[in-house]
Amino acid sequence: MKRHVVVIGAGYAGLTAALRVSNRHHVTLIDSKSRFTERIRLHEVAAGHTNASVPLGDLVAGRDIETVTAHITSIAPDYHAVHLHDGTVITYDVLVYALGSRTDTTKVPGARDHTYTVERAVELSRRLAAGTGTVAVVGGGHTGVELAAELAESAHSWRVRLVTAREPGAGLSERGRRHVARSLDRLGVRVHPHTRVTGVDRHGLATDCGAIPADVTVWAASFTVSPLAAEAGLAVDSRGRALVDAALRSTSHPDVFVVGDAARVVAPGVGELRMACATAMPTGAHAAGVIDALARGKEPKPFRFRYLALSVSLGRGDGVVQPVRTDDAPHGWVLTGRLAALVNEWINRYTLMSLRWEQRRPGSYHWAKPLPGTEREEAGSEHDLGSAGPAGGSARAVLRAVPGGGSGGVHHPIAAPRGAGSR
């Protein structure tokens, strides 16, 4: 039975879901922008290297997808309706909520008014091109590390500081963190570890370790989700992420699927998934499969996922690829240097290519799942990070997971903690 599926949010998760479900159903894809943004390349955009957006019309051409460029003001799940800023009401049979995440500048005084974020990468690039001085990047996760390295390598007239509450590169093995530290030092980045920012103004940062002057501040410390899910009455967690069942349906409204960063997804044998492009696309693809199964009267399958590796860019010629276990715990060894940079670039290109494959042949996208016998049965178990099964394998195992390998489809090889720029 053909359904009208409305997808709100045209990021990695929403676009994947829309393309896949359009094979048998009519789709309305709503987003505030008319272009798809490659968030994993925004650190490159900030440094003035590349354009990271593609017209949505190009990516959905030939599919039964109607695109609507509009701001969503509210959702009425009891009435199967989405309300837009111009007064338009769009009704649906099934809703896919994929509004993703954005940088959170609300927690620290002055951050909203005196910082740039990765979402403003184009504006940041123009600002850096127009002057000189000191730029402070706040946040030592993968987003912050990639931004600091990229800016230090490319914006030669700027001194770069990285301010982080922990050590840079959390989530990597000790060898991985050491390589990140060496690379940042080589690039001239001054790191302020174990430093908490308490305020921001036009002169720089106030921290628990004293003032840090900066002419430009870039905020990459945390991410948050849209409040629309909570406002609509969907069950959410303390961070505003929608609670979903094993099939990615809202626990309070089963005709609403929530995918990507907007959902709190717990996978058996893995635990709670992190915000990531590489976790967003699998959830979008799985939700589309469940929608189709239910329309045909079939029982939906639970979502299954495993981590393989994470990657961090350290400029155009350096990086870290960190193999991880099923539950995202790092192995001791890492791939670094020029080869890691090449793998990073391949991942960036592969991600967009996966969407284009899905456009041409819906259902072609595949992702890593646990090996037989390595999952726990209790799929809803919170923080189930115990026996995670076999390791992610050798470098050959990471690098051989290429498009078309094995089944003739497209495989997603890397899953990593989120941030613009993480894989």
Side-chain angles (χ1 to χ4, degrees):
M1 184 172 64
K2 192 168 187 175
R3 315 296 299 277
H4 179 208
V5 180
V6 171
V7 180
I8 57 174
Y12 292 106
L15 189 53
T16 302
L19 291 169
R20 200 178 192 96
V21 81
S22 69
N23 197 38
R24 293 188 176 91
H25 306 279
H26 174 64
V27 179
T28 300
L29 177 62
I30 309 172
D31 195 273
S32 60
K33 298 178 180 179
S34 62
R35 302 178 70 89
F36 167 75
T37 298
E38 294 182 80
R39 288 189 67 175
I40 59 176
R41 284 196 184 273
L42 286 180
H43 60 293
E44 300 175 40
V45 175
H49 285 312
T50 188
N51 173 38
S53 68
V54 182
L56 276 177
D58 290 354
L59 291 173
V60 303
R63 309 306 318 163
D64 188 7
I65 299 176
E66 175 189 0
T67 60
V68 176
T69 304
H71 290 279
I72 299 167
T73 57
S74 64
I75 303 164
D78 292 337
Y79 299 94
H80 286 209
V82 176
H83 296 260
L84 308 182
H85 71 285
D86 62 359
T88 301
V89 178
I90 297 179
T91 58
Y92 60 83
D93 295 317
V94 181
L95 178 67
V96 178
Y97 184 106
L99 291 181
S101 64
R102 64 181 185 277
T103 305
D104 186 2
T105 57
T106 64
K107 298 295 193 296
V108 175
R112 178 180 302 201
D113 298 325
H114 299 288
T115 68
Y116 290 86
T117 63
V118 290
E119 293 87 353
R120 298 174 59 197
V122 174
E123 295 175 58
L124 174 59
S125 176
R126 291 171 181 162
R127 171 65 181 89
L128 297 178
T132 185
T134 298
V135 55
V137 178
V138 180
H142 303 301
T143 303
V145 167
E146 292 190 324
L147 274 168
E150 202 77 42
L151 296 179
E153 183 179 77
S154 302
H156 300 297
S157 59
W158 290 84
R159 298 176 298 276
V160 180
R161 298 179 180 228
L162 178 62
V163 184
T164 172
R166 297 183 291 175
E167 295 287 337
L172 298 173
S173 64
E174 183 180 350
R175 291 177 65 182
R177 293 193 302 274
R178 284 203 306 266
H179 184 79
V180 167
R182 286 194 300 267
S183 296
L184 293 175
D185 182 65
R186 171 180 57 80
L187 291 168
V189 178
R190 181 175 177 183
V191 179
H192 299 261
H194 309 294
T195 301
R196 293 190 177 275
V197 177
T198 57
V200 187
D201 61 26
R202 62 188 181 89
H203 301 293
L205 309 174
T207 79
D208 59 359
C209 297
I212 298 177
D215 301 288
V216 172
T217 300
V218 186
W219 199 261
S222 59
F223 291 86
T224 188
V225 299
S226 169
L228 277 177
E231 292 170 357
L234 300 185
V236 299
D237 68 3
S238 60
R239 298 175 61 187
R241 298 174 302 170
L243 302 178
V244 296
D245 64 14
L248 305 183
R249 295 172 293 194
S250 165
T251 57
S252 59
H253 295 79
D255 48 4
V256 177
F257 289 77
V258 190
V259 296
D261 294 356
R264 179 187 179 275
V265 180
V266 178
V270 178
E272 184 178 315
L273 299 190
R274 300 189 187 187
M275 293 180 174
C277 154
T279 54
M281 293 178 71
T283 57
H286 183 80
V290 172
I291 292 169
D292 189 47
L294 291 172
R296 291 185 288 163
K298 294 186 176 181
E299 193 67 24
K301 295 181 179 179
F303 177 68
R304 300 173 64 242
F305 176 84
R306 67 155 295 163
Y307 290 99
L308 287 179
L310 62 88
S311 63
V312 182
S313 169
L314 297 169
R316 297 300 81 212
D318 192 8
V320 174
V321 175
Q322 172 74 70
V324 297
R325 295 180 171 84
T326 299
D327 63 355
D328 206 25
H331 290 291
W333 68 273
V334 292
L335 187 67
T336 61
R338 180 63 181 168
L339 182 55
L342 291 173
V343 172
N344 269 294
E345 178 58 25
W346 176 81
I347 293 168
N348 286 342
R349 296 185 183 188
Y350 168 78
T351 302
L352 183 59
M353 183 176 68
S354 297
L355 293 171
R356 294 195 183 278
W357 271 80
E358 196 68 22
Q359 175 191 9
R360 298 184 186 113
R361 192 175 63 180
S364 62
Y365 173 78
H366 297 271
W367 63 95
K369 300 179 180 68
L371 298 174
T374 62
E375 284 182 293
R376 297 262 183 119
E377 290 299 325
E378 52 272 21
S381 176
E382 186 163 339
H383 303 299
D384 181 13
L385 303 178
S387 176
S394 65
R396 290 191 303 274
V398 174
L399 299 178
R400 71 174 175 239
V402 296
S407 66
V410 179
H411 297 260
H412 203 300
I414 306 292
R418 165 62 165 241
S422 60
R423 317 292 180 244

